[in-house]
Every structure is written in C-alpha cells, then in structure tokens.
Amino acid sequence: MATVSPPWAYTLQLPHDPRAPRIARTTLRAVLRTHGMTELADTAELLASELVTNAHRYSDGPYMLRLRAMEYGRLRVSVWDSNPDIPAPFGDGVPSGPPGDLAERGRGLHLVRLCADNWGAYRLGDAVSGRAGKLLWVECDRHA
C-alpha cells in the first residue's frame, strides 16, 4: 500500500523573459524529484513548458507557475498570466481539431490537451488583487 504524502504546493513567479519556460521546467523537475513523483516528470514538463510559453507569447507582463499535489499521485500544473483571453484549445466547446500542416502556431496547446489527464481555464477579473487575466490548468497522474 502506497503512503500518501501531505498536500503541497509551490508557486514560481516568472518575469516576462524568454528563459522562463526553461526555469519552469527545471523547477518542476526538482519539485517532483523531491516529492518522489519523477514518473510524472516528462509529461508534466511538456505541459508546464507549453503553458508558460503560451503565457510568454501572449501576455506582456509577468506570469506564475503553480504546482500542486492532488490526491492519489495527481499533479496540477497551472499558469496565470495577465491576458484575459482564453485560447481556443481551452475555450468553450470542442476545438475544431489540430492546426493545419502549414499553421505557424497553435500546436502547443493542442498537445497539452492531448497529453493532460484533465484540463481547464478561467478568467480572473479581480484587478484590485492584481490577479486579472486568466489561469490555464492541467492535471496529470500516475497511471495504474
């Protein structure tokens, strides 16, 4: 029987910098190694990297990566940025499918939806707290 570790969460504030996705990946791997969840590292790294890259590309301010342990070996990765527009792959309804062969953008978040066990998004509109924008989140878990 596996022991359940206490819940934990980490938040990494990132400046609007092209090195942010690499910093996010490195931090994520260290956190998962610390908590014995290395089997999630490859998928979680892809998911976090795409979400942070999206935040860098489509917002002009800082953004945040949050890693949170959920029940039964599940990890939630979320990224907040200041742009309130929720991208099509995370928006309401079913997306039209993967981007065309000649599309220059749009593959990253499509991959996120394919690789994540669960995903979602919501707008944050509280400018008073400084959290206006959006939050994209994904989950991955240990598959039995």
mmCIF file of all heavy atoms in Angstrom, residues 9-17 19-21 23-24 27 52 55 61-67 78-81 129-131:
data_model
loop_
_atom_site.group_PDB
_atom_site.id
_atom_site.type_symbol
_atom_site.label_atom_id
_atom_site.label_comp_id
_atom_site.label_asym_id
_atom_site.label_seq_id
_atom_site.Cartn_x
_atom_site.Cartn_y
_atom_site.Cartn_z
ATOM 1 N N ALA A 9 2.194 22.581 -2.312
ATOM 2 C CA ALA A 9 2.027 23.477 -3.461
ATOM 3 C C ALA A 9 3.229 24.409 -3.523
ATOM 4 O O ALA A 9 3.779 24.803 -2.487
ATOM 5 C CB ALA A 9 0.739 24.282 -3.343
ATOM 6 N N TYR A 10 3.628 24.723 -4.726
ATOM 7 C CA TYR A 10 4.716 25.670 -4.973
ATOM 8 C C TYR A 10 4.233 26.675 -6.007
ATOM 9 O O TYR A 10 3.557 26.311 -6.964
ATOM 10 C CB TYR A 10 5.954 24.961 -5.540
ATOM 11 C CG TYR A 10 6.609 24.002 -4.597
ATOM 12 C CD1 TYR A 10 6.132 22.709 -4.444
ATOM 13 C CD2 TYR A 10 7.715 24.390 -3.855
ATOM 14 C CE1 TYR A 10 6.733 21.819 -3.572
ATOM 15 C CE2 TYR A 10 8.327 23.501 -2.980
ATOM 16 C CZ TYR A 10 7.827 22.222 -2.845
ATOM 17 O OH TYR A 10 8.437 21.347 -1.982
ATOM 18 N N THR A 11 4.618 27.921 -5.824
ATOM 19 C CA THR A 11 4.303 28.965 -6.794
ATOM 20 C C THR A 11 5.601 29.640 -7.199
ATOM 21 O O THR A 11 6.387 30.040 -6.341
ATOM 22 C CB THR A 11 3.334 30.009 -6.198
ATOM 23 O OG1 THR A 11 2.141 29.326 -5.782
ATOM 24 C CG2 THR A 11 2.980 31.076 -7.218
ATOM 25 N N LEU A 12 5.807 29.734 -8.489
ATOM 26 C CA LEU A 12 7.006 30.355 -9.036
ATOM 27 C C LEU A 12 6.583 31.563 -9.852
ATOM 28 O O LEU A 12 5.866 31.429 -10.848
ATOM 29 C CB LEU A 12 7.754 29.347 -9.915
ATOM 30 C CG LEU A 12 9.015 29.830 -10.622
ATOM 31 C CD1 LEU A 12 10.093 30.225 -9.611
ATOM 32 C CD2 LEU A 12 9.528 28.741 -11.563
ATOM 33 N N GLN A 13 6.990 32.736 -9.417
ATOM 34 C CA GLN A 13 6.706 33.956 -10.170
ATOM 35 C C GLN A 13 7.810 34.147 -11.194
ATOM 36 O O GLN A 13 8.991 34.111 -10.854
ATOM 37 C CB GLN A 13 6.624 35.145 -9.224
ATOM 38 C CG GLN A 13 5.468 35.026 -8.267
ATOM 39 C CD GLN A 13 5.351 36.222 -7.348
ATOM 40 O OE1 GLN A 13 6.098 37.171 -7.435
ATOM 41 N NE2 GLN A 13 4.385 36.154 -6.461
ATOM 42 N N LEU A 14 7.400 34.345 -12.427
ATOM 43 C CA LEU A 14 8.348 34.443 -13.528
ATOM 44 C C LEU A 14 8.220 35.793 -14.219
ATOM 45 O O LEU A 14 7.106 36.242 -14.485
ATOM 46 C CB LEU A 14 8.085 33.328 -14.544
ATOM 47 C CG LEU A 14 8.319 31.913 -14.021
ATOM 48 C CD1 LEU A 14 7.552 30.905 -14.834
ATOM 49 C CD2 LEU A 14 9.800 31.615 -14.033
ATOM 50 N N PRO A 15 9.342 36.434 -14.529
ATOM 51 C CA PRO A 15 9.268 37.681 -15.288
ATOM 52 C C PRO A 15 8.975 37.381 -16.752
ATOM 53 O O PRO A 15 9.120 36.240 -17.200
ATOM 54 C CB PRO A 15 10.683 38.259 -15.132
ATOM 55 C CG PRO A 15 11.544 37.046 -14.992
ATOM 56 C CD PRO A 15 10.714 36.042 -14.226
ATOM 57 N N HIS A 16 8.571 38.373 -17.479
ATOM 58 C CA HIS A 16 8.349 38.201 -18.915
ATOM 59 C C HIS A 16 9.717 38.088 -19.580
ATOM 60 O O HIS A 16 10.340 39.083 -19.946
ATOM 61 C CB HIS A 16 7.547 39.384 -19.483
ATOM 62 C CG HIS A 16 7.051 39.112 -20.850
ATOM 63 N ND1 HIS A 16 7.722 39.511 -21.973
ATOM 64 C CD2 HIS A 16 5.957 38.443 -21.273
ATOM 65 C CE1 HIS A 16 7.064 39.109 -23.032
ATOM 66 N NE2 HIS A 16 5.984 38.467 -22.640
ATOM 67 N N ASP A 17 10.190 36.870 -19.703
ATOM 68 C CA ASP A 17 11.555 36.599 -20.146
ATOM 69 C C ASP A 17 11.544 35.310 -20.956
ATOM 70 O O ASP A 17 10.907 34.336 -20.548
ATOM 71 C CB ASP A 17 12.443 36.438 -18.899
ATOM 72 C CG ASP A 17 13.907 36.300 -19.224
ATOM 73 O OD1 ASP A 17 14.278 35.364 -19.961
ATOM 74 O OD2 ASP A 17 14.705 37.113 -18.726
ATOM 75 N N ARG A 19 13.586 33.052 -21.137
ATOM 76 C CA ARG A 19 14.187 31.926 -20.399
ATOM 77 C C ARG A 19 13.213 31.300 -19.413
ATOM 78 O O ARG A 19 13.504 30.261 -18.812
ATOM 79 C CB ARG A 19 15.434 32.399 -19.666
ATOM 80 C CG ARG A 19 16.536 32.857 -20.616
ATOM 81 C CD ARG A 19 17.647 33.536 -19.884
ATOM 82 N NE ARG A 19 17.136 34.838 -19.408
ATOM 83 C CZ ARG A 19 17.885 35.810 -18.922
ATOM 84 N NH1 ARG A 19 19.177 35.643 -18.830
ATOM 85 N NH2 ARG A 19 17.350 36.937 -18.525
ATOM 86 N N ALA A 20 12.038 31.884 -19.234
ATOM 87 C CA ALA A 20 11.078 31.415 -18.239
ATOM 88 C C ALA A 20 10.646 29.962 -18.438
ATOM 89 O O ALA A 20 10.571 29.221 -17.452
ATOM 90 C CB ALA A 20 9.874 32.347 -18.193
ATOM 91 N N PRO A 21 10.361 29.496 -19.658
ATOM 92 C CA PRO A 21 9.977 28.085 -19.795
ATOM 93 C C PRO A 21 11.066 27.120 -19.294
ATOM 94 O O PRO A 21 10.767 26.117 -18.653
ATOM 95 C CB PRO A 21 9.729 27.918 -21.298
ATOM 96 C CG PRO A 21 9.307 29.280 -21.739
ATOM 97 C CD PRO A 21 10.168 30.224 -20.920
ATOM 98 N N ILE A 23 13.322 27.773 -16.955
ATOM 99 C CA ILE A 23 13.325 27.884 -15.491
ATOM 100 C C ILE A 23 12.168 27.088 -14.905
ATOM 101 O O ILE A 23 12.322 26.378 -13.907
ATOM 102 C CB ILE A 23 13.274 29.364 -15.076
ATOM 103 C CG1 ILE A 23 14.563 30.069 -15.494
ATOM 104 C CG2 ILE A 23 13.027 29.509 -13.578
ATOM 105 C CD1 ILE A 23 14.487 31.584 -15.441
ATOM 106 N N ALA A 24 11.001 27.173 -15.542
ATOM 107 C CA ALA A 24 9.834 26.422 -15.076
ATOM 108 C C ALA A 24 10.085 24.916 -15.143
ATOM 109 O O ALA A 24 9.760 24.180 -14.201
ATOM 110 C CB ALA A 24 8.608 26.802 -15.902
ATOM 111 N N THR A 27 12.607 23.856 -12.396
ATOM 112 C CA THR A 27 11.966 23.903 -11.085
ATOM 113 C C THR A 27 11.007 22.733 -10.912
ATOM 114 O O THR A 27 11.004 22.061 -9.875
ATOM 115 C CB THR A 27 11.223 25.240 -10.902
ATOM 116 O OG1 THR A 27 12.163 26.303 -11.031
ATOM 117 C CG2 THR A 27 10.533 25.313 -9.555
ATOM 118 N N VAL A 52 3.643 27.842 -19.975
ATOM 119 C CA VAL A 52 4.485 29.021 -19.711
ATOM 120 C C VAL A 52 4.864 29.705 -21.025
ATOM 121 O O VAL A 52 4.868 30.934 -21.115
ATOM 122 C CB VAL A 52 5.735 28.635 -18.881
ATOM 123 C CG1 VAL A 52 6.714 29.797 -18.784
ATOM 124 C CG2 VAL A 52 5.326 28.189 -17.479
ATOM 125 N N ALA A 55 1.989 31.767 -22.053
ATOM 126 C CA ALA A 55 1.918 32.989 -21.241
ATOM 127 C C ALA A 55 2.946 34.011 -21.724
ATOM 128 O O ALA A 55 2.657 35.204 -21.828
ATOM 129 C CB ALA A 55 2.144 32.660 -19.767
ATOM 130 N N GLY A 61 3.256 40.873 -19.460
ATOM 131 C CA GLY A 61 3.715 41.089 -18.086
ATOM 132 C C GLY A 61 4.235 39.800 -17.497
ATOM 133 O O GLY A 61 4.423 38.795 -18.196
ATOM 134 N N PRO A 62 4.444 39.797 -16.194
ATOM 135 C CA PRO A 62 4.919 38.581 -15.524
ATOM 136 C C PRO A 62 3.819 37.515 -15.515
ATOM 137 O O PRO A 62 2.656 37.798 -15.806
ATOM 138 C CB PRO A 62 5.239 39.062 -14.109
ATOM 139 C CG PRO A 62 4.403 40.275 -13.923
ATOM 140 C CD PRO A 62 4.242 40.898 -15.267
ATOM 141 N N TYR A 63 4.188 36.303 -15.186
ATOM 142 C CA TYR A 63 3.249 35.200 -15.082
ATOM 143 C C TYR A 63 3.696 34.293 -13.955
ATOM 144 O O TYR A 63 4.807 34.431 -13.433
ATOM 145 C CB TYR A 63 3.108 34.426 -16.399
ATOM 146 C CG TYR A 63 4.324 34.445 -17.298
ATOM 147 C CD1 TYR A 63 5.295 33.466 -17.213
ATOM 148 C CD2 TYR A 63 4.512 35.477 -18.222
ATOM 149 C CE1 TYR A 63 6.411 33.495 -18.033
ATOM 150 C CE2 TYR A 63 5.614 35.502 -19.054
ATOM 151 C CZ TYR A 63 6.555 34.509 -18.956
ATOM 152 O OH TYR A 63 7.663 34.536 -19.761
ATOM 153 N N MET A 64 2.827 33.380 -13.554
ATOM 154 C CA MET A 64 3.116 32.495 -12.432
ATOM 155 C C MET A 64 2.839 31.043 -12.797
ATOM 156 O O MET A 64 1.829 30.753 -13.446
ATOM 157 C CB MET A 64 2.243 32.840 -11.230
ATOM 158 C CG MET A 64 2.834 33.863 -10.328
ATOM 159 S SD MET A 64 1.901 34.003 -8.791
ATOM 160 C CE MET A 64 0.425 34.762 -9.360
ATOM 161 N N LEU A 65 3.714 30.178 -12.334
ATOM 162 C CA LEU A 65 3.538 28.731 -12.435
ATOM 163 C C LEU A 65 3.212 28.227 -11.043
ATOM 164 O O LEU A 65 3.887 28.584 -10.080
ATOM 165 C CB LEU A 65 4.829 28.077 -12.936
ATOM 166 C CG LEU A 65 4.886 26.550 -12.865
ATOM 167 C CD1 LEU A 65 3.982 25.932 -13.919
ATOM 168 C CD2 LEU A 65 6.329 26.072 -13.036
ATOM 169 N N ARG A 66 2.180 27.409 -10.943
ATOM 170 C CA ARG A 66 1.836 26.799 -9.654
ATOM 171 C C ARG A 66 1.785 25.293 -9.837
ATOM 172 O O ARG A 66 1.168 24.791 -10.780
ATOM 173 C CB ARG A 66 0.499 27.313 -9.148
ATOM 174 C CG ARG A 66 0.126 26.745 -7.795
ATOM 175 C CD ARG A 66 -1.078 27.486 -7.245
ATOM 176 N NE ARG A 66 -1.663 26.836 -6.101
ATOM 177 C CZ ARG A 66 -1.292 27.014 -4.859
ATOM 178 N NH1 ARG A 66 -0.304 27.836 -4.573
ATOM 179 N NH2 ARG A 66 -1.892 26.392 -3.861
ATOM 180 N N LEU A 67 2.446 24.599 -8.943
ATOM 181 C CA LEU A 67 2.459 23.144 -8.914
ATOM 182 C C LEU A 67 1.780 22.712 -7.627
ATOM 183 O O LEU A 67 2.130 23.202 -6.554
ATOM 184 C CB LEU A 67 3.900 22.619 -8.933
ATOM 185 C CG LEU A 67 4.783 23.155 -10.053
ATOM 186 C CD1 LEU A 67 6.226 22.718 -9.837
ATOM 187 C CD2 LEU A 67 4.266 22.696 -11.407
ATOM 188 N N SER A 78 -0.641 24.799 -13.070
ATOM 189 C CA SER A 78 -1.437 25.916 -13.567
ATOM 190 C C SER A 78 -0.524 27.103 -13.831
ATOM 191 O O SER A 78 0.509 27.269 -13.194
ATOM 192 C CB SER A 78 -2.561 26.281 -12.595
ATOM 193 O OG SER A 78 -2.068 26.510 -11.307
ATOM 194 N N VAL A 79 -0.940 27.907 -14.796
ATOM 195 C CA VAL A 79 -0.182 29.099 -15.163
ATOM 196 C C VAL A 79 -1.154 30.268 -15.253
ATOM 197 O O VAL A 79 -2.156 30.206 -15.973
ATOM 198 C CB VAL A 79 0.572 28.923 -16.498
ATOM 199 C CG1 VAL A 79 1.216 30.229 -16.942
ATOM 200 C CG2 VAL A 79 1.639 27.836 -16.354
ATOM 201 N N TRP A 80 -0.848 31.308 -14.509
ATOM 202 C CA TRP A 80 -1.589 32.559 -14.562
ATOM 203 C C TRP A 80 -0.798 33.549 -15.399
ATOM 204 O O TRP A 80 0.429 33.602 -15.317
ATOM 205 C CB TRP A 80 -1.771 33.138 -13.155
ATOM 206 C CG TRP A 80 -2.206 34.574 -13.201
ATOM 207 C CD1 TRP A 80 -3.482 35.037 -13.348
ATOM 208 C CD2 TRP A 80 -1.374 35.729 -13.155
ATOM 209 N NE1 TRP A 80 -3.483 36.411 -13.393
ATOM 210 C CE2 TRP A 80 -2.200 36.862 -13.281
ATOM 211 C CE3 TRP A 80 0.007 35.923 -13.030
ATOM 212 C CZ2 TRP A 80 -1.697 38.159 -13.276
ATOM 213 C CZ3 TRP A 80 0.499 37.215 -13.028
ATOM 214 C CH2 TRP A 80 -0.352 38.311 -13.149
ATOM 215 N N ASP A 81 -1.512 34.309 -16.248
ATOM 216 C CA ASP A 81 -0.902 35.436 -16.932
ATOM 217 C C ASP A 81 -1.920 36.567 -17.005
ATOM 218 O O ASP A 81 -3.090 36.380 -16.679
ATOM 219 C CB ASP A 81 -0.344 35.051 -18.310
ATOM 220 C CG ASP A 81 -1.408 34.719 -19.331
ATOM 221 O OD1 ASP A 81 -2.253 35.579 -19.630
ATOM 222 O OD2 ASP A 81 -1.392 33.585 -19.848
ATOM 223 N N SER A 129 -6.757 42.826 -6.709
ATOM 224 C CA SER A 129 -5.750 41.937 -6.125
ATOM 225 C C SER A 129 -4.549 41.737 -7.038
ATOM 226 O O SER A 129 -3.607 41.062 -6.669
ATOM 227 C CB SER A 129 -6.373 40.579 -5.801
ATOM 228 O OG SER A 129 -6.639 39.876 -7.000
ATOM 229 N N GLY A 130 -4.615 42.284 -8.245
ATOM 230 C CA GLY A 130 -3.517 42.095 -9.187
ATOM 231 C C GLY A 130 -3.577 40.769 -9.912
ATOM 232 O O GLY A 130 -2.621 40.353 -10.536
ATOM 233 N N ARG A 131 -4.706 40.066 -9.841
ATOM 234 C CA ARG A 131 -4.839 38.747 -10.457
ATOM 235 C C ARG A 131 -5.733 38.754 -11.691
ATOM 236 O O ARG A 131 -6.274 37.741 -12.059
ATOM 237 C CB ARG A 131 -5.388 37.742 -9.450
ATOM 238 C CG ARG A 131 -4.487 37.526 -8.272
ATOM 239 C CD ARG A 131 -3.319 36.639 -8.647
ATOM 240 N NE ARG A 131 -2.563 36.314 -7.469
ATOM 241 C CZ ARG A 131 -1.307 36.628 -7.293
ATOM 242 N NH1 ARG A 131 -0.658 37.276 -8.219
ATOM 243 N NH2 ARG A 131 -0.677 36.300 -6.201
#
